[in-house]
């Protein structure tokens, strides 16, 4: 076989390989837009964050305003916002507001230690492969998706927030009281 024939065969094999790869791989998800339903998930929950359940299923939280917060213990802005997010969770629970933390930490020991040290009472689920983060289109930590009572994205917050800031509290409280989706 000549070098030219071998090069042609190699080129054909390479093209076939590329076509097979592109066909088999999953498409890149698009970020969830405001007004769309938040993608459903079932994820394991840390026992220290929620002793009464082994996993959390987002669909079961319909009827509540849900803050889905993607974060990690190694992320300084995530650590910074944790106390105010915990306070929001406890203060607005009576209005039907629920916080679900989704940690992308690889190290479960560090995550459990963090949850214990910060006395996090809302459920914390693990997404170490960032599957759900990718499905939502999360690209920066922390990111929070505020879902209305129907499960639609009412707000996407990129970066850390002081959840005790009057504007943030007003946004979540209005959503909890009205059930309306404030799409901008």
């Amino acid at each position: 076989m000549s070098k030219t024939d071998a090069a042609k065969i190699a080129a054909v094999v390479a093209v076939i390989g590329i076509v097979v790869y592109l066909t088999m791989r999953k498409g890149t998800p698009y970020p969830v837009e405001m007004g769309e339903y938040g993608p459903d998930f079932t994820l394991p929950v840390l026992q220290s964050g929620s002793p009464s359940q082994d996993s959390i299923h987002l669909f079961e939280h319909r009827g509540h305003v849900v803050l889905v917060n993607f974060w990690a213990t190694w992320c300084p802005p995530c650590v910074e916002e944790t106390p105010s997010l915990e306070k929001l969770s406890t203060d607005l629970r009576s209005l039907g507001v629920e916080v679900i933390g989704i940690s992308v930490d690889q190290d479960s020991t560090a995550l459990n230690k963090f949850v214990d040290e910060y006395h996090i009472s809302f459920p914390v689920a693990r997404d170490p492969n960032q599957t759900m983060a990718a499905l939502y289109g999360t690209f920066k930590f922390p990111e929070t998706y505020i879902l209305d009572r129907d499960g639609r994205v009412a707000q996407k917050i990129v970066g850390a927030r002081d959840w005790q800031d009057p504007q943030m509290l007003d946004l979540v409280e209005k959503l909890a009281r009205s059930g309306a989706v404030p799409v901008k």
Side-chain angles (χ1 to χ4, degrees), residues 90-165:
T90 57
D91 289 351
L92 299 186
R93 193 171 289 143
S94 64
L95 293 177
V97 175
E98 298 180 355
V99 174
I100 299 172
I102 301 181
S103 170
V104 298
D105 279 276
Q106 296 285 322
D107 184 348
S108 62
T109 303
L111 178 58
N112 278 307
K113 181 180 176 188
F114 183 90
V115 169
D116 288 340
E117 285 179 7
Y118 280 82
H119 307 290
I120 297 174
S121 63
F122 56 82
V124 176
R126 287 195 64 225
D127 183 28
N129 296 325
Q130 298 187 24
T131 305
M132 284 302 110
L135 187 60
Y136 272 76
T138 295
F139 65 93
K140 180 180 178 184
F141 300 105
E143 277 192 16
T144 304
Y145 295 81
I146 303 174
L147 308 180
D148 68 12
R149 294 182 186 278
D150 293 326
R152 294 183 186 268
V153 177
Q155 239 358 284
K156 176 181 178 179
I157 312 289
V158 179
R161 292 294 184 271
D162 174 2
W163 293 98
Q164 297 307 298
D165 177 274

Side-chain angles (χ1 to χ4, degrees), residues 20-117:
V20 168
Y21 170 76
L22 292 174
T23 303
M24 301 288 286
R25 80 179 178 118
K26 295 178 182 177
T28 303
Y30 293 96
V32 177
E33 299 291 331
M34 290 197 318
E36 294 179 349
Y37 285 101
D40 195 18
F41 57 79
T42 300
L43 291 170
V45 175
L46 297 179
Q47 292 306 314
S48 56
S50 180
S52 63
Q53 61 192 76
D54 294 329
S55 63
I56 191 156
H57 186 77
L58 180 61
F59 186 78
E60 293 174 353
H61 295 268
R62 290 274 169 93
H64 297 271
V65 172
V66 180
L67 282 74
V68 179
N69 178 261
F70 290 93
W71 67 285
T73 60
W74 44 258
C75 161
C78 301
V79 173
E80 178 183 321
E81 87 170 346
T82 296
S84 69
L85 190 59
E86 171 61 28
K87 183 152 176 43
L88 177 130
S89 173
T90 57
D91 289 351
L92 299 186
R93 193 171 289 143
S94 64
L95 293 177
V97 175
E98 298 180 355
V99 174
I100 299 172
I102 301 181
S103 170
V104 298
D105 279 276
Q106 296 285 322
D107 184 348
S108 62
T109 303
L111 178 58
N112 278 307
K113 181 180 176 188
F114 183 90
V115 169
D116 288 340
E117 285 179 7

